[in-house]
Amino acid sequence: MKILEEKILTHGKVLPGHVLKVDSFLNHQIDVKLLKAMADELYKEYEGAGVNKILTVEASGIAIATMVADRFDCPLLFAKKHKTSNVAGDVYSVPVHSYTHNRDYNIIVSKSYLNESDVVLIVDDFLANGCALRGLINLVEQAGAKVAGCGIAIEKGFQDGGAALRKDGYKVSSLAIVESMSDDALTFRK
Ligand code: 5GP
């Protein structure tokens, strides 16, 4: 998506550890118009797929996922992060390794909000090694619901999460795929 790529080139900063910082428009300060345009793109991709729920994980996926849910006129459900494995209540739960915090969380959703009649579009801000998406897919599958696909703002194509998920048969739609990045250069996949 051209406008997203341009925004990454002008505002993105490459941090150590292959982290792309885009908090001036995506996951701290939010460029609402840009996120709306991104939601429109994902809507075009999954319109007609029967999506009735959007799922993300707190916190940085929530902004884009909210815009997507508005576009589909359906609820947004976000998985909560719990640090321990002692999760109370009637929930689906799965351990996930956090890329940016380098620690493990259990992510949970209430069984009240996910069931076998749901067709779920999973949305997140970044795709790196795929741990967050695998965790969210696991929650959907525990509930017996269907994964329509994964809509991602920025995929780091030089990490293998996206390729492995596609190989496993999941549809992954990324609005920008970074092919390579260093302190002074960043390229996108065509
Ligand atoms: P994965 O689980 O695919 O390895 O990493 C995806 C998750 O880690 C996303 O939910 C995102 O919050 C975070 N993440 C991974 N890479 C980056 C990055 O380069 N920049 C930022 N801001 N977040 C990232």
Side-chain angles (χ1 to χ4, degrees), residues 2-135:
K2 202 76 203 154
I3 49 169
L4 175 59
E5 291 182 359
E6 279 163 9
K7 195 84 174 182
I8 293 168
L9 288 174
T10 49
H11 290 82
K13 289 195 181 71
V14 178
L15 302 183
H18 298 298
V19 172
L20 178 61
K21 189 173 177 200
V22 287
D23 66 354
S24 66
F25 65 92
L26 184 60
N27 48 26
H28 187 26
Q29 176 172 262
I30 308 285
D31 182 333
V32 177
K33 272 211 172 69
L34 174 65
L35 265 64
K36 273 190 175 160
M38 290 160 67
D40 285 346
E41 284 294 306
L42 290 176
Y43 182 72
K44 275 189 227 153
E45 191 68 31
Y46 289 92
E47 188 184 9
V51 172
N52 74 333
K53 199 155 285 180
I54 308 301
L55 176 67
T56 190
V57 56
E58 68 178 359
S60 57
I62 293 177
I64 169 115
T66 302
M67 305 289 183
V68 177
D70 180 52
R71 203 62 190 74
F72 279 90
D73 197 17
C74 74
L76 158 68
L77 177 64
F78 65 90
K80 296 183 175 231
K81 286 176 180 164
H82 279 239
K83 284 170 212 139
T84 70
S85 55
N86 288 329
V87 179
D90 220 4
V91 295
Y92 298 113
S93 161
V94 66
V96 164
H97 184 76
S98 164
Y99 185 91
T100 40
H101 297 109
N102 193 23
R103 63 189 293 183
D104 290 343
Y105 291 92
N106 270 345
I107 61 168
I108 61 159
V109 294
S110 167
K111 288 188 178 176
S112 308
Y113 303 129
L114 204 52
N115 61 60
E116 65 272 1
S117 66
D118 287 323
V119 179
V120 181
L121 174 59
I122 296 171
V123 172
D124 206 359
D125 58 344
F126 271 92
L127 169 55
N129 296 322
C131 301
L133 285 189
R134 295 262 179 203

Side-chain angles (χ1 to χ4, degrees), residues 124-131 133 152 154-157 159 161-163 165-166 172 174:
D124 206 359
D125 58 344
F126 271 92
L127 169 55
N129 296 322
C131 301
L133 285 189
I152 301 296
I154 304 172
E155 175 176 344
K156 292 185 291 181
Q159 293 173 313
L165 283 159
R166 291 181 184 100
V172 180
S174 299

